[in-house]
Amino acid sequence: MTIAEQVATIAHNARQASFALARLSTSVKNRMLLLMADALEAATESLVVENRKDLAAGRDKGLSEAMLDRLMLDGKRITAMADALREVAALPDPVGEVTKMWKRPNELMVGKMRIPLGVIGIVYESRPNVTADAAALCLKSGNAVVLRGGSEAIHSNRAIASLLQGVMKELGIPEAALSLIPFTERAGVLEMLKQEELIDLIIPRGGESLIRFVVEHSRIPVIKHYKGVCHAFVDASADFAMATKIIINAKTQRPGVCNALETLLIHRDVAAAFVPMLAETLGDLQVELRGDDEFRRYAPQAALATEDDWAAEYLELILACKVVGDMDEAIEHINRYGSLHSEAIITSDYANAQRFIREVNSSCVLVNASTRFNDGGQLGLGAEIGISTTKLHSFGPMGLEDLTTTKFIVYGDGQVRQ
Amino acid sequence: MTIAEQVATIAHNARQASFALARLSTSVKNRMLLLMADALEAATESLVVENRKDLAAGRDKGLSEAMLDRLMLDGKRITAMADALREVAALPDPVGEVTKMWKRPNELMVGKMRIPLGVIGIVYESRPNVTADAAALCLKSGNAVVLRGGSEAIHSNRAIASLLQGVMKELGIPEAALSLIPFTERAGVLEMLKQEELIDLIIPRGGESLIRFVVEHSRIPVIKHYKGVCHAFVDASADFAMATKIIINAKTQRPGVCNALETLLIHRDVAAAFVPMLAETLGDLQVELRGDDEFRRYAPQAALATEDDWAAEYLELILACKVVGDMDEAIEHINRYGSLHSEAIITSDYANAQRFIREVNSSCVLVNASTRFNDGGQLGLGAEIGISTTKLHSFGPMGLEDLTTTKFIVYGDGQVRQ
């Protein structure tokens, strides 16, 4: 069989298995996840052996130390992977939830019931723990899953997938509901992205270039986000101490992630009082400032910001800063340069807080809180399969519910249409 | 300007206008819709004049009488179009609804708020009333809309769109939020389908060939359904009178629509008692029967069904009939040949009803009711913009809510991430 035929067979078998998966009871799914966690921990030694093959190959290929670190599995990381499965087992099962039900004038009872999407494809890079994490979220939400990990992690991914499949076999659950594309060739992923009749959704997990590659080649809908150009707006009524604390947290707590702050907007009425103080504090924390002319009047140490800075996702200790005349100007700036990710206002004014919540349509809009809270775990979704900055199907961090859809259910007693 | 440039300009202006649309209050949107309804009725004469140009051109092109009838506008149809706008005005506004809100351990209040999708593109065929209907649903849900109607209705569509834009201008609402692609060339729609940075969703309304054309050429997500191969399963415990009534209604009340019944599955235990009676009744109603061997044992007048019959959307008075051994076989048949549209069970057995509801994952699953109820109006959504038989974003009839997404909103009092 060619690669194309083998990938098509995997997708076909996943589709067939998805019918059985959709019917599994919550207790069977949870038992499966807990047994998978135990199996991973019990197999620590053999997983580490397989992982060493990937690490050796990676060293030969000249992967960076950072890449090799992402790839590496040890006892501690395998336990963390197992614990993540236990956490998914503890989450509520979204399948079968009736989100609404109403009565029609003809006495029909009409409701909307959550059901799995069907088959979900995950395309990811070097971290082998995604194999277990993503599989757990898809299976818990009643979906079959087709995994395509990075070629550099192929031995680790195969070993993990085969352990998980072993548990499924033991429980009489069709193993085809969890498949790993076994090819390291690019053709493997390209063929997977063509299976639009068999795979319902593709979720890429990795850097922007991986995501752009997937979007460009997929005939299947893709849920993704490219980047996070997150804003904070310091309103005229902001509490300066609170604003400073939030800006420091959003910019410096973990600058390399998508919900870190990239652009700060400051109301003109407080610029003279707030900027010098803030600039000094941020300078002490090694944050490089780039501002417009008005900002630099109060913080001459800042470099002059260019058009590129307003659109930049720095992912490091650099902050673009701009003074704005009012909230309209702040919102216009966000609409123009933002990436629909996370935007915060710091304010003491009730009406302005409500207006910002209502009028800024990013995936997460916050009042008096750090942009770093835009994260599935922090917002209370439990584990997160990814984040979407496109509005269709899901917008923002995606939990188990986002791996489902709803069907209409109708209870009648013989009604026919007039 | 080339067609490509003009279409890009229309999409760009629609995107700009969408920010203002998203902020419009419910009362302004309703006032706009009611004034639009009045404007259409007041302009009956001039609309009929423009419509006559389309009818004359259509006759010259040799359009069928059925096509010309769909195209035709008269006083009665214009009043119906105006009344449809009034109905949309009366529907609840989904924008701003907080669908859930919860408190995190750190006292953050986290909620999900409905917001418009942004810009919606509608590609449709000859009925000019879609211009007003679709525009009303998009605008009421806070979206800008780009319309591309059939070339055969161009004069009518232009006249309707220009009346609606006149009302928007009067109220100070940006007219670019409602645009009509003014070209009859195919390039007009092709360019529209390329604007993936400016248009968020495409909804095609028309026959299967239009929908396939749009799906094939669109870089923007498309919500669609191709066909309805709807099933009814007569369980062993079915009330025969109720089953007969539902089957007659589902098959014959309006055979040419997507929620009409196409395949009947009958439990083996009642086939001998039920089939002869049913076959005679359906024969009296001019329904042609095509059955498997076992069905024909009890209804020899039926033709032998082929593999093609199980997958057929007849859209006429033909019914494919099959005897099955149990519900498992019925569900397997539906999974194999169905189109995820509408499936009904007729049963008196509580457990079987619940199992059918749970295990059949079509867009609408009914117990003891006609498949003809799978319709936005009948299910209680109010007006319907279309129906989706793909599971992403929307599944089943789509009302105003389906033209929105949800963002996360977070109310804090200075929280930062640990």
Side-chain angles (χ1 to χ4, degrees):
Chain A
M1 284 210 289
T2 62
I3 290 186
E5 285 163 352
Q6 288 184 65
V7 171
T9 302
I10 288 172
H12 177 81
N13 292 342
R15 165 65 65 194
Q16 284 308 111
S18 74
F19 299 121
L21 250 284
R23 287 195 297 261
L24 285 188
S25 71
T26 306
S27 60
V28 168
K29 289 188 283 193
N30 290 346
R31 191 139 58 92
M32 171 186 73
L33 293 170
L34 296 175
L35 288 173
M36 284 173 166
D38 296 344
L40 287 173
E41 283 188 316
T44 297
E45 261 181 63
S46 65
L47 287 177
V48 167
V49 169
E50 291 303 310
N51 183 248
R52 278 197 196 125
K53 296 182 192 166
D54 289 330
L55 289 171
R59 261 184 222 102
D60 289 351
K61 276 205 298 187
L63 291 190
S64 69
E65 279 308 311
M67 287 279 277
L68 290 169
D69 180 62
R70 261 179 254 162
L71 196 50
M72 190 269 286
L73 286 181
D74 57 14
K76 204 174 137 195
R77 286 193 179 175
I78 290 167
T79 297
M81 186 157 56
D83 284 341
L85 296 194
R86 293 179 183 117
E87 277 166 34
V88 175
L91 291 174
D93 183 353
V95 176
E97 186 197 351
V98 175
T99 58
K100 276 190 197 178
M101 193 142 206
W102 59 94
K103 201 181 73 170
R104 297 290 300 151
N106 61 1
E107 303 295 319
L108 280 181
M109 294 291 305
V110 179
K112 299 195 84 169
M113 181 185 274
R114 280 198 193 283
I115 59 170
L117 286 173
V119 180
I120 297 173
I122 312 278
V123 180
Y124 54 107
E125 289 178 323
S126 48
R127 289 181 201 275
N129 65 307
V130 175
T131 307
D133 281 2
L137 287 164
C138 292
L139 296 172
K140 173 77 183 237
S141 52
N143 294 288
V145 59
V146 178
L147 299 161
R148 206 287 184 174
S151 57
E152 65 283 3
I154 187 75
H155 292 96
S156 314
N157 290 339
R158 274 189 191 150
I160 294 168
S162 140
L163 275 171
L164 305 184
Q165 287 163 338
V167 171
M168 294 167 78
K169 193 173 179 181
E170 219 174 278
L171 293 176
I173 298 167
E175 299 155 68
L178 188 169
S179 321
L180 185 74
I181 303 281
F183 309 109
T184 55
E185 293 88 347
R186 190 170 253 217
V189 65
L190 288 174
E191 290 302 325
M192 176 179 169
L193 299 176
K194 285 184 194 164
Q195 306 299 323
E196 81 265 38
E197 304 286 336
L198 299 170
I199 301 180
D200 297 281
L201 171 65
I202 297 284
I203 303 178
R205 288 181 57 159
E208 190 171 340
S209 66
L210 172 82
I211 298 172
R212 293 212 180 265
F213 176 83
V214 168
V215 168
E216 194 180 324
H217 292 93
S218 183
R219 290 194 202 151
I220 305 165
V222 179
I223 290 190
K224 81 269 182 187
H225 92 287
Y226 291 126
K227 59 180 184 170
V229 181
C230 305
H231 296 76
F233 169 51
V234 179
D235 191 22
S237 63
D239 177 295
F240 289 172
M242 185 195 288
T244 305
K245 188 173 81 163
I246 289 174
I247 293 162
I248 290 173
N249 184 260
K251 182 69 250 179
T252 71
Q253 197 231 5
R254 211 173 151 200
V257 293
C258 59
N259 56 19
L261 181 65
E262 304 292 9
T263 299
L264 180 66
L265 304 168
I266 297 151
H267 196 292
R268 179 163 299 138
D269 292 355
V270 288
F274 182 58
V275 167
M277 189 163 78
L278 176 77
E280 197 188 325
T281 309
L282 290 175
D284 291 346
L285 293 164
Q286 263 67 52
V287 177
E288 179 190 332
L289 299 175
R290 301 189 188 168
D292 68 339
D293 283 327
E294 194 169 347
F295 181 86
R296 293 171 73 231
R297 205 179 302 155
Y298 310 113
Q301 67 269 52
L304 184 63
T306 67
E307 186 71 10
D308 286 350
D309 285 298
W310 306 129
E313 186 189 31
Y314 298 117
L315 299 175
E316 49 183 320
L317 289 178
I318 306 173
L319 184 63
C321 302
K322 186 179 165 65
V323 175
V324 294
D326 53 22
M327 201 195 298
D328 287 309
E329 197 183 333
I331 293 177
E332 257 165 53
H333 183 98
I334 292 170
N335 283 343
R336 180 153 172 208
Y337 296 104
S339 60
L340 301 181
H341 201 291
S342 315
E343 332 291 352
I345 184 174
I346 298 106
T347 190
S348 302
D349 184 286
Y350 171 78
N352 286 356
Q354 291 297 81
R355 200 184 141 205
F356 194 84
I357 284 279
R358 220 170 34 233
E359 297 192 6
V360 175
N361 282 340
S362 295
S363 83
C364 186
V365 186
L366 310 99
V367 176
N368 295 340
S370 170
T371 55
R372 292 275 296 116
F373 286 112
N374 189 9
D375 166 277
Q378 296 294 321
L379 293 175
L381 306 188
E384 167 185 307
I385 186 98
I387 181 166
S388 167
T389 54
T390 51
K391 291 179 186 165
L392 232 54
H393 189 73
S394 286
F395 192 36
M398 296 171 64
L400 283 174
E401 276 186 9
D402 297 284
L403 301 178
T404 68
T405 189
T406 54
K407 68 182 173 190
F408 285 89
I409 60 174
V410 179
Y411 290 100
D413 47 15
Q415 284 86 343
V416 294
R417 187 143 163 206
Q418 302 304 319
Chain B
M1 283 210 290
T2 63
I3 290 186
E5 286 163 351
Q6 289 185 65
V7 171
T9 303
I10 288 173
H12 176 81
N13 292 342
R15 165 65 66 196
Q16 285 307 110
S18 74
F19 299 121
L21 250 284
R23 288 194 298 262
L24 282 189
S25 72
T26 305
S27 60
V28 169
K29 290 189 283 194
N30 289 346
R31 191 140 57 93
M32 170 186 75
L33 293 169
L34 296 175
L35 288 174
M36 284 173 167
D38 296 345
L40 286 173
E41 283 188 317
T44 297
E45 259 180 66
S46 64
L47 287 177
V48 167
V49 169
E50 290 303 310
N51 183 248
R52 280 201 194 122
K53 296 181 192 166
D54 289 329
L55 289 171
R59 260 184 223 104
D60 288 350
K61 277 207 297 188
L63 292 189
S64 69
E65 279 308 309
M67 288 278 277
L68 289 170
D69 179 62
R70 262 180 252 161
L71 196 51
M72 191 269 287
L73 286 180
D74 57 14
K76 206 176 137 194
R77 288 193 177 174
I78 291 167
T79 298
M81 188 158 55
D83 284 341
L85 297 194
R86 293 179 184 117
E87 278 166 32
V88 175
L91 291 173
D93 183 353
V95 176
E97 186 196 351
V98 175
T99 59
K100 277 190 196 178
M101 194 142 205
W102 59 94
K103 200 181 74 169
R104 297 290 301 150
N106 61 0
E107 305 293 319
L108 280 182
M109 294 291 305
V110 179
K112 299 194 84 169
M113 181 186 274
R114 280 198 192 283
I115 59 170
L117 287 172
V119 180
I120 296 173
I122 312 277
V123 180
Y124 54 107
E125 288 179 323
S126 48
R127 289 180 201 274
N129 65 305
V130 175
T131 307
D133 281 2
L137 287 163
C138 293
L139 296 172
K140 174 77 184 238
S141 51
N143 294 287
V145 59
V146 178
L147 300 160
R148 206 287 185 175
S151 56
E152 66 284 2
I154 187 76
H155 292 97
S156 313
N157 290 339
R158 274 186 191 154
I160 294 168
S162 138
L163 274 171
L164 305 184
Q165 287 163 338
V167 171
M168 295 168 77
K169 193 172 179 183
E170 220 173 279
L171 293 176
I173 299 167
E175 299 155 68
L178 188 170
S179 321
L180 185 74
I181 302 281
F183 308 108
T184 55
E185 293 88 346
R186 189 170 254 217
V189 66
L190 288 174
E191 290 302 326
M192 176 178 169
L193 299 175
K194 285 184 194 163
Q195 307 297 324
E196 80 264 38
E197 305 285 336
L198 299 170
I199 300 179
D200 296 281
L201 172 65
I202 296 285
I203 303 177
R205 288 182 57 161
E208 188 170 341
S209 65
L210 172 82
I211 298 171
R212 293 213 178 266
F213 175 84
V214 168
V215 169
E216 194 179 323
H217 292 93
S218 183
R219 291 193 201 150
I220 305 164
V222 178
I223 290 191
K224 81 274 182 182
H225 92 287
Y226 291 127
K227 59 180 185 171
V229 181
C230 304
H231 296 75
F233 169 51
V234 178
D235 190 21
S237 63
D239 176 294
F240 289 172
M242 185 195 285
T244 306
K245 188 174 80 162
I246 288 173
I247 293 162
I248 290 173
N249 182 259
K251 182 68 247 180
T252 72
Q253 196 230 5
R254 211 172 150 200
V257 293
C258 58
N259 57 18
L261 181 65
E262 304 293 9
T263 300
L264 180 66
L265 304 168
I266 298 152
H267 196 293
R268 180 163 298 138
D269 292 354
V270 288
F274 181 57
V275 168
M277 191 163 76
L278 177 76
E280 198 188 324
T281 309
L282 290 175
D284 291 347
L285 294 165
Q286 263 69 55
V287 178
E288 180 191 330
L289 299 175
R290 300 188 188 169
D292 68 340
D293 282 328
E294 194 169 348
F295 182 85
R296 293 171 73 229
R297 205 178 301 154
Y298 310 113
Q301 67 270 50
L304 184 63
T306 66
E307 186 73 9
D308 285 350
D309 285 300
W310 306 130
E313 185 189 33
Y314 298 118
L315 298 176
E316 48 182 321
L317 289 177
I318 305 174
L319 185 63
C321 302
K322 186 179 164 66
V323 175
V324 293
D326 54 21
M327 202 195 296
D328 287 310
E329 197 183 334
I331 292 177
E332 259 165 51
H333 183 98
I334 292 169
N335 282 343
R336 179 152 173 211
Y337 296 105
S339 59
L340 301 181
H341 201 290
S342 314
E343 332 291 351
I345 185 173
I346 299 107
T347 190
S348 302
D349 185 286
Y350 172 78
N352 288 356
Q354 290 297 82
R355 201 184 141 205
F356 194 84
I357 284 278
R358 218 167 39 231
E359 297 192 6
V360 175
N361 282 341
S362 296
S363 83
C364 185
V365 187
L366 310 101
V367 176
N368 295 340
S370 170
T371 54
R372 293 274 295 115
F373 286 112
N374 189 9
D375 167 275
Q378 295 294 321
L379 293 175
L381 306 189
E384 169 185 308
I385 188 98
I387 181 165
S388 167
T389 55
T390 50
K391 291 178 187 167
L392 233 54
H393 188 73
S394 287
F395 193 36
M398 296 171 64
L400 284 175
E401 276 185 10
D402 298 283
L403 300 179
T404 67
T405 190
T406 54
K407 67 181 174 190
F408 286 89
I409 59 174
V410 178
Y411 290 100
D413 47 15
Q415 284 86 343
V416 295
R417 187 144 163 203
Q418 302 303 321

